[in-house]
Amino acid sequence: MQPRKHISCKIRPTELRLHTLSLSPLASSSLFSGSVCPEAYSFLGEMENQSDNDIEAPKMSVLNCIDLSNPDIHQSVSLLKQACLDSGFFYVVNHGMSEEFMDKVFAQSRRLFGLPLNEKMKLLRNEKHRGYTPVLDEILDPENQTHGDYKEGYYIGVEVAEDDPEAEKPFYGQNVWPAPGLFPGWRETMEKFHQEALEIGRAVARIIALALDLEADFFDKPEMLGKSIATLRLLHYEGQLSDPSKGIYGAGAHSDFGLITLLATDDVLGLQICKDKDAKPQIWEYVPPLKGAFVVNLGDMLERWSNCVFKSTLHRVLVNGQERYSIAYFVEPCHDCLVECLPTCKSENNPPKFPPILCQTYLSQRYKDTHADLSRYNKTEA
């Protein structure tokens, strides 16, 4: 077996120098090769060249990079905590999922979205949020969007047999799969990605726990990520040119619902973050794609758990006319997990800012608020 290629990241001089940390069972054990990442920041040079031609260069965000093969846990905790307090976004590299496999998942995603619309509609999402979501199905920022998100997606959750009592829960059940003969190996590829991404999510959650002065395995409990209802979502932006002045976005401004999100992207720029959602005007920065890395962002549940010590960050997608593909993996706790202020994040002078809420209650409401009612499609078909 060939040694796994290591990815390195450029960081600011004020940040700690990266070595390597072993928290993920998928991560390799060889040493980290350096601290410069030309791939992620080659966009900066490209945009500077554009500005020389009297084109305004978009603002780029410089994110911390967490190396999951780093043996120095204290260093990784420091980097992660700094990232969480600064932007709520960071890269994760050397996580154990190979670039070759990630490329395979992207290829399978392109095959699915390349189907004619009438064929994709046969795989329409069900009431358990499994399956295909058409363009404009989701509206994440109704105050500023004219129609909805100019993207299509495909949800894949935890597979639970129909006769299993657990299947009664809102985010358990059977997935909607393309016919086996249509794309050979498609289901197996997605199931493998789901399993490996969950291990990466758990590894990141262990560092987050330490950053919040908890035991490293705090989020590994059965009632949390031990029985996670994590969801994989394939995403395709068809190339509709975004225009914020007209309310046209690839994805409207929003924060994610759960604990954390892992995002793999192709090489097309599009993701933007707003570090201060209350700023007037809001300042948006692009997140440069980094081959082989996951972009990680904090979700609303972590904001509630941490009593706003760590905040979920507003983000959106602007499309420049090019097709864009990404793979989002939403790391959520189990259905019956009670999300309430952590003991290390409250005090007499800093009481809990949110009431306790069940994970399934919170997620169900957020999905209902952002997705079209399925009856809309039944009427269209009729």
Side-chain angles (χ1 to χ4, degrees):
M1 182 180 293
Q2 293 182 340
R4 192 181 304 282
K5 181 170 67 174
H6 258 52
I7 302 170
S8 57
C9 287
K10 177 179 178 181
I11 57 174
R12 292 169 289 193
T14 55
E15 294 169 355
L16 296 173
R17 182 176 179 275
L18 289 174
H19 295 291
T20 51
L21 149 79
S22 203
L23 278 170
S24 171
L26 297 170
S28 103
S29 59
S30 55
L31 287 179
F32 185 57
S33 57
S35 59
V36 177
C37 181
E39 296 96 333
Y41 298 99
S42 61
F43 282 97
L44 296 175
E46 293 172 13
M47 295 307 171
E48 285 173 0
N49 291 336
Q50 286 188 6
S51 64
D52 291 340
N53 296 322
D54 297 325
I55 299 174
E56 185 179 354
K59 186 173 178 60
M60 294 288 170
S61 189
V62 180
L63 303 182
N64 280 15
C65 200
I66 311 301
D67 182 353
L68 288 190
S69 62
N70 185 356
D72 188 343
I73 183 61
H74 300 294
Q75 193 173 70
S76 294
V77 169
S78 295
L79 277 170
L80 181 139
K81 189 168 187 176
Q82 183 186 45
C84 292
L85 294 173
D86 174 49
S87 67
F89 272 76
F90 51 91
Y91 296 110
V92 163
V93 299
N94 300 325
H95 41 66
M97 187 182 292
S98 72
E99 283 188 30
E100 293 75 17
F101 178 63
M102 294 174 80
D103 288 343
K104 182 178 180 180
V105 180
F106 273 106
Q108 292 284 34
S109 174
R110 290 186 181 94
R111 294 174 74 187
L112 176 85
F113 290 124
L115 288 172
L117 180 59
N118 66 317
E119 291 298 317
K120 290 183 284 193
M121 290 301 288
K122 294 176 183 177
L123 302 168
L124 183 67
R125 66 175 170 90
N126 56 28
E127 69 283 351
K128 296 291 186 82
H129 295 284
R130 312 294 179 90
Y132 177 68
T133 56
V135 173
L136 304 182
D137 177 83
E138 190 172 16
I139 182 163
L140 291 167
D141 185 12
E143 290 186 12
N144 294 301
Q145 287 181 268
T146 305
H147 301 294
D149 287 4
Y150 280 91
K151 71 175 189 291
E152 54 183 346
Y154 202 91
Y155 282 116
I156 301 168
V158 178
E159 184 83 13
V160 175
E162 195 174 359
D163 58 355
D164 190 317
E166 293 282 281
E168 297 294 323
K169 295 181 177 180
F171 294 95
Y172 276 163
Q174 293 183 300
N175 286 302
V176 177
W177 299 109
L182 187 61
F183 303 129
W186 199 91
R187 174 174 176 169
E188 291 77 11
T189 298
M190 297 305 160
E191 288 182 329
K192 180 181 178 184
F193 183 95
H194 199 294
Q195 292 165 2
E196 291 194 8
L198 181 56
E199 291 305 317
I200 296 167
R202 286 171 173 156
V204 174
R206 292 178 194 120
I207 308 177
I208 290 173
L210 292 171
L212 292 171
D213 297 322
L214 302 164
E215 294 296 323
D217 63 354
F218 179 85
F219 291 109
D220 287 337
K221 299 170 186 175
E223 65 272 21
M224 292 194 179
L225 298 184
K227 294 185 70 176
S228 171
I229 53 176
T231 300
L232 161 63
R233 193 180 189 193
L234 308 174
L235 293 164
H236 174 222
Y237 301 83
E238 293 183 328
Q240 168 73 38
L241 192 65
S242 295
D243 186 345
S245 68
K246 296 180 179 177
I248 299 173
Y249 299 86
H254 66 287
S255 56
D256 289 346
F257 312 154
L259 176 65
I260 56 172
T261 301
L262 310 179
L263 181 74
T265 71
D266 62 12
D267 59 0
V268 177
L269 201 63
L271 175 64
Q272 292 187 320
I273 63 175
C274 176
K275 295 180 181 179
D276 183 1
K277 60 186 176 184
D278 298 320
K280 302 292 183 183
Q282 291 177 335
I283 298 172
W284 291 92
E285 301 175 358
Y286 278 100
V287 175
L290 174 56
K291 177 72 172 175
F294 282 103
V295 178
V296 181
N297 64 277
L298 311 182
D300 296 337
M301 286 189 194
L302 185 55
E303 180 171 314
R304 296 174 75 101
W305 257 315
S306 71
N307 210 23
C308 294
V309 173
F310 293 164
K311 294 186 178 181
S312 56
T313 302
L314 208 59
H315 54 286
R316 67 186 187 185
V317 173
L318 296 188
V319 181
N320 62 8
Q322 292 178 277
E323 277 191 297
R324 181 177 181 271
Y325 292 85
S326 63
I327 304 165
Y329 189 80
F330 303 106
V331 182
E332 331 278 19
C334 84
H335 280 89
D336 300 321
C337 177
L338 187 66
V339 181
E340 59 182 339
C341 184
L342 297 168
T344 57
C345 296
K346 62 182 178 181
S347 66
E348 204 172 303
N349 297 323
N350 184 33
K353 296 176 175 63
F354 306 97
I357 191 168
L358 285 177
C359 171
Q360 61 180 306
T361 304
Y362 186 75
L363 286 181
S364 295
Q365 187 59 52
R366 292 298 301 272
Y367 273 88
K368 182 180 178 181
D369 290 343
T370 54
H371 285 278
D373 193 289
L374 285 171
S375 62
R376 158 182 170 178
Y377 301 110
N378 294 334
K379 290 175 184 177
T380 302
E381 291 173 4

